[in-house]
Amino acid sequence: MIAIPRQKPVFRFAPSPNGPLHLGHALSAFLNRDMADASGGRFLLRIEDIDLARCTPEFEAGIYTDLEWLGIDWEKPPRRQSEHFAEYQAALSKLIDRGLAYPSFLTRGEVKARVAAFERESGPWPRDPDGSPLYPVDDRDRSEGERREMIASGIKHAWRLDMAKALSQVDTPLSWTETGDGDRGEIVAEPSAWGDVVLSRSDAPSSYHLSVVIDDALQDVTHVVRGLDLFHATAVHRLLQTLMHLPAPVYHHHRLVADSAGRKLSKSDGDTGLAELRKRGLSVADIRHLIGL
Ligand code: GLU
């Protein structure tokens, strides 16, 4: 009999170097490392730096310093998304060729003005699970000629998924296996709640949603352990995975760490930054205690 080798579980911690790591990142990193160790799995670090305007080498260096201090080691070298734009572009091209993505031309300011005008007249504009207004659909109906002309004339554009068309090409409902701190079990994915999501931005040749699913597949990630703030985004990830025939990892969305006032932590909130806490003399055991581990 031929023994089929069982794939080792693969975990990843995927911070963006757009600010200092805080206690919430420490929880994510420890959980990933601990779950990898407990299952005899691998632990990868991925630097999610597609936002070239906000990500800096200093913040990236801070990630390495903080993880080393916490005693968390990772397989070297880490994958840096900014070195793989061509891969995301190739995946996007395939979606464009299949008629599943279209160029969108409205700026953030234009969308905001449109939504405000609508809401003054007619009541609430639909919003995504994060509370951001859904992108207006006008660009979806432009002719090929018009699109080409607008792009040729140099108008900045992003590429968006045609959500309705994408959903018509997959068996619904989509779902994912969830083992985290919120709802568990087989979760029904509702990607339509996000509208026509961005696949590549006018200022970055990819988007979070596109690059995260490509990388999880390319890196053979079997378990995605991340904060509950990304729970609903998983619906978009499942849709993209299904469209691109990529495997679905198991998802574990963990509780978020709140500050003393009960607010979600943010990178601009210096008080809970790991480097700051280290400077104030806290030990790694103190950090584990603070995040309830
Ligand atoms: N880069 C994302 C963040 O820093 C995490 C993405 C993920 O784990 O899927 O919030």
Side-chain angles (χ1 to χ4, degrees):
M1 214 171 76
I2 304 168
I4 300 169
R6 215 172 66 84
Q7 197 200 352
K8 271 190 181 185
V10 180
F11 293 79
R12 93 300 195 268
F13 174 54
S16 295
N18 57 10
L21 294 192
H22 55 56
L23 288 172
H25 295 103
L27 178 61
S28 247
F30 273 131
L31 287 176
N32 270 290
R33 181 72 260 184
D34 291 352
M35 289 166 89
D37 290 344
S39 60
R42 300 167 57 201
F43 173 82
L44 311 177
L45 172 64
R46 182 161 77 226
I47 303 295
E48 299 213 326
D49 59 349
I50 56 172
D51 188 342
L52 298 173
R54 290 173 61 220
C55 294
T56 69
E58 290 75 25
F59 287 136
E60 184 179 328
I63 292 173
Y64 305 137
T65 309
D66 289 345
L67 289 179
E68 274 161 16
W69 177 60
L70 293 175
I72 293 175
D73 63 340
W74 62 93
E75 289 184 18
K76 315 280 187 310
R79 181 175 172 92
R80 295 167 82 222
Q81 291 189 322
S82 58
E83 292 167 357
H84 298 275
F85 283 133
E87 285 153 63
Y88 313 132
Q89 281 285 308
L92 173 62
S93 295
K94 286 193 195 147
L95 293 172
I96 295 171
D97 290 347
R98 290 164 65 190
L100 293 174
Y102 65 86
S104 69
F105 299 94
L106 294 180
T107 63
R108 226 173 257 169
E110 285 165 340
V111 173
K112 218 169 147 189
R114 171 83 66 86
V115 171
F118 180 92
E119 293 194 328
R120 271 195 305 274
E121 298 279 313
S122 327
W125 180 276
R127 283 165 196 269
D128 70 23
D130 282 349
S132 298
L134 297 194
Y135 188 78
V137 292
D138 351 358
D139 287 322
R140 198 196 293 164
D141 299 322
R142 290 184 201 282
S143 69
E144 261 320 299
E146 198 182 350
R147 284 177 181 162
R148 244 182 317 222
E149 245 169 61
M150 289 177 82
I151 293 176
S153 72
I155 304 180
K156 278 194 166 184
H157 62 284
W159 286 89
R160 288 181 180 269
L161 184 71
D162 184 332
M163 182 58 77
K165 201 162 171 196
L167 283 171
S168 75
Q169 297 204 357
V170 299
D171 287 336
T172 51
L174 298 168
S175 66
W176 76 87
T177 305
E178 174 69 47
T179 62
D181 296 332
D183 288 345
R184 281 189 193 171
E186 204 56 23
I187 307 289
V188 172
E190 284 167 27
S192 60
W194 292 91
D196 291 353
V197 289
V198 178
L199 297 175
S200 97
R201 298 163 27 163
S202 60
D203 57 355
S206 188
S207 71
Y208 161 62
H209 295 307
L210 182 64
S211 38
V212 83
V213 295
I214 303 243
D215 285 353
D216 284 339
L218 274 172
Q219 295 191 287
D220 298 321
V221 170
T222 58
H223 293 74
V224 170
V225 178
R226 61 187 178 192
L228 268 168
D229 51 340
L230 290 167
F231 183 88
H232 292 291
T234 310
V236 176
H237 303 167
R238 287 294 300 119
L239 174 59
L240 291 175
Q241 285 158 354
T242 308
L243 288 171
M244 298 191 282
H245 311 291
L246 303 175
V250 170
Y251 288 88
H252 182 104
H253 291 94
H254 60 74
R255 65 190 162 80
L256 300 176
V257 179
D259 68 11
S260 48
R263 284 181 308 245
K264 186 185 151 185
L265 301 184
S266 83
K267 285 194 172 152
S268 50
D269 188 359
D271 280 7
T272 57
L274 297 179
E276 177 60 29
L277 296 172
R278 180 164 67 244
K279 228 187 301 165
R280 285 199 228 148
L282 272 77
S283 68
V284 176
D286 295 331
I287 300 291
R288 273 198 172 260
H289 179 73
L290 276 175
I291 56 180
L293 287 181

